[in-house]
Amino acid sequence: MDKQDGRSRLSKRSAGSSSQFFRLVLPGLASVNLLLGAGLLIHAAHPVIWETSAEVATGVFCCAIAGWLGSAGWSKAYWGRTMERQVSYWRHLADILFRWLEDAPIPIEHLVRLEGSLSEAERDS
C-alpha cells in the first residue's frame, strides 16, 4: 500500500469524524448548556442572597459557553463553504488554463509533467 493512500484514508476518516462532531455533538452541547443556563437563571428568581448570585453567575457562564459553541459551529460552516467556493474557483481557473495550454505550441511532454505535478500537489494537500 502506498503512503499517499494511507494518508488520504486517514484524512477522510478524520474529516468524517470532524463533520459528525460539528453536526451532532456541538449543537447538542450548545443546547444542553443553554437549557442549563436558562434553568439556573429562572430558578434564581427568588430574593438576592449569595447563593442566588452564584446561580446567576453559573447560568450566565453556561449561556456564554452555549454561545461560544454555537459561534464555533457557525464559523466552521461559514469558512467551510468559503473554502469550497475558492477551491471550485481555482479548479475552474486551472481547467481554463489547461485548455489554453492545449492550444499553445508546447510539447505534450511538458503538459503531462505539469498535470502530474498538479495532481501530486492536490494529493498532498
Side-chain angles (χ1 to χ4, degrees), residues 46-58:
H46 50 283
V48 176
I49 54 175
W50 73 272
E51 292 172 347
T52 303
S53 58
E55 288 177 3
V56 168
T58 303

Side-chain angles (χ1 to χ4, degrees), residues 91-118:
R91 282 190 179 152
H92 179 68
L93 192 63
D95 289 342
I96 291 171
L97 180 65
F98 274 118
R99 275 189 254 130
W100 180 74
L101 287 174
E102 287 174 354
D103 294 338
I106 299 174
I108 193 71
E109 297 84 28
H110 293 285
L111 289 175
V112 170
R113 191 171 56 194
L114 176 62
E115 187 174 16
S117 298
L118 288 174

Side-chain angles (χ1 to χ4, degrees), residues 14 16 18 20-21 24 30 40-42 47 66 71-72 84 88 91 95 105-106 111 119:
S14 65
S18 174
Q20 287 178 348
F21 175 79
L24 302 173
L40 284 170
L41 291 174
I42 290 171
S71 65
E84 285 176 12
S88 172
R91 282 190 179 152
D95 289 342
I106 299 174
L111 289 175
S119 296

